[in-house]
Amino acid sequence: MRLRRLAALAALSLAALTACGSGSGSGVGTLKIMAPASPGGGWDQTSRTAAEALKSAEPSRKVEVYNVPGAGGTIGLAQLAGQKGNGDLLMTMGLVMVGAVEQNKSKVTLAETTPIAKLTEEYEIVVVPAESPYKTLADLVTAWKADPAKIAIAGGSAGGTDHIVAGLMAKAAGIDPKQVNYIAHSGGGEALNALLGNKVAMGVSGIGEFAEHVKSGKLRALGVTSPARVDSVDSPTLKEGGLDVELANWRGFVAPPGLDDAARKNLTDLVTKMHDSQAWKDAVAKNGWIDSFQTGQQFADYLAAEQTKVKTIIAEMGLVS
């Protein structure tokens, strides 16, 4: 009888431990990372790179990445907001989403998330297909000024970083930003297909998304949005090409709303451990990203400031009414 009681108590204890271990924000459950865009783009690339670095830093950790494309990430944002209190979920986001919230008049905003960490910054690159008649940025600008509607531009979501770069380039070239023929895509893979299929005149994206295709000769780089040339791609800056445009994209993680302090700390500690891993450092170097790690209140303050800044920029460019 005593042995049966002991066995029952052991079973109850094990069940209790299992329940605790599978709870929200426990730090030992399967971590899911949402990439709120189609496969092949910057958020997808960042999500999968982070997942591999997390597995390297903590081999026992199960990490799953899934995609929720559409509307500049705001469809994924709405889904995240519906996961209140879920401490085993992260969403990759960044400057693109800040603009998309305004552009799409999203009912759910980034104020309804839990900021976890800013990860990287990345400069943008302007490319044309290898067969393009535009050999330099000056060639492209000349044709663009002559007929703005003729120059179709492929990039990410409307109101996102790529769209902002196209608008700033137009403004610097003396072209009304409202005349920009911008074709939005839900992921870098779709924009790449449009370029490789010669369906558009030019493309704008993060350097990491197009660098390999520039190196292989499938695309020609006309300029980067950095203040100086970067090592990861052979390209002049936009300023060298005559357009005074400089802009860095950034990416980070947010979590669902309503997390308790323990769940928030678990996620922050886990992402910090990932950031400190050699796998992540190697990926940052390989992709030409800039390490801009921030957590806690520092990232929350940065995110709030970015929302104010981007809202002003896209309003000036006529991207929102």
Side-chain angles (χ1 to χ4, degrees):
M1 181 66 74
R2 184 171 180 271
L3 287 174
R4 283 199 295 271
R5 282 199 300 268
L6 288 172
L9 286 171
L12 285 170
S13 297
L14 180 59
L17 286 170
T18 302
C20 290
S22 63
S24 175
S26 65
V28 296
T30 297
L31 177 72
K32 293 189 176 182
I33 301 176
M34 181 203 302
S38 298
W43 286 340
D44 182 69
Q45 181 187 29
T46 300
S47 300
R48 296 183 189 282
T49 301
E52 291 305 310
L54 278 165
K55 292 173 186 176
S56 173
E58 198 168 291
S60 61
R61 168 75 57 177
K62 291 183 179 180
V63 185
E64 297 177 1
V65 176
Y66 67 103
N67 297 81
V68 181
T74 56
I75 291 177
L77 176 62
Q79 288 192 16
L80 185 84
Q83 292 288 316
K84 186 175 181 179
N86 185 351
D88 293 318
L89 175 62
L90 290 169
M91 181 181 73
T92 304
M93 49 72 70
L95 180 59
V96 172
M97 186 174 288
V98 176
V101 166
E102 299 295 330
Q103 177 76 14
N104 293 291
K105 295 180 171 59
S106 175
K107 293 180 180 179
V108 179
T109 72
L110 288 162
E112 296 168 68
T113 68
T114 301
I116 298 298
K118 180 186 175 190
L119 298 173
T120 60
E121 290 182 345
E122 181 183 23
Y123 291 109
E124 297 271 292
I125 187 168
V126 177
V127 300
V128 293
E131 300 82 6
S132 172
Y134 311 124
K135 306 298 182 184
T136 66
L137 185 62
D139 292 340
L140 175 67
V141 170
T142 298
W144 199 8
K145 292 174 75 171
D147 189 356
K150 186 179 178 181
I151 304 299
I153 305 167
S157 305
T161 314
D162 306 340
H163 198 169
I164 290 172
V165 168
L168 290 175
M169 287 176 63
K171 190 175 181 180
I175 300 167
D176 183 352
K178 295 176 183 177
Q179 290 186 297
V180 171
N181 181 11
Y182 186 82
I183 302 174
H185 297 77
S186 63
E190 292 181 10
L192 177 63
N193 289 337
L195 282 160
L196 297 180
N198 290 291
K199 296 177 181 178
V200 294
M202 113 188 194
V204 184
S205 191
I207 289 176
E209 294 182 51
F210 287 161
E212 289 301 318
H213 302 286
V214 171
K215 291 175 184 176
S216 70
K218 293 179 180 178
L219 298 175
R220 181 184 305 123
L222 298 187
V224 290
T225 63
S226 54
R229 295 195 181 201
V230 297
D231 295 334
S232 59
V233 66
D234 182 17
S235 174
T237 66
L238 290 180
K239 286 188 176 182
E240 286 180 74
L243 297 183
D244 189 11
V245 176
E246 183 181 317
L247 186 72
N249 189 11
W250 59 267
R251 299 187 181 105
F253 282 141
V254 294
L259 296 190
D260 59 32
D261 291 342
R264 185 187 298 109
K265 184 178 186 303
N266 279 334
L267 285 174
T268 303
D269 290 349
L270 184 60
V271 173
T272 300
K273 190 174 183 179
M274 177 216 77
H275 167 263
D276 294 341
S277 71
Q278 191 59 48
W280 178 256
K281 292 175 182 177
D282 290 344
V284 167
K286 178 184 176 183
N287 290 302
W289 296 339
I290 302 164
D291 185 2
S292 58
F293 194 62
Q294 293 179 346
T295 61
Q297 193 59 46
Q298 185 181 21
F299 177 46
D301 291 344
Y302 177 84
L303 184 54
E306 283 291 283
Q307 291 175 80
T308 300
K309 182 178 76 174
V310 170
K311 185 174 183 178
T312 301
I313 291 174
I314 64 176
E316 290 176 348
M317 290 169 52
L319 299 180
V320 294
S321 57

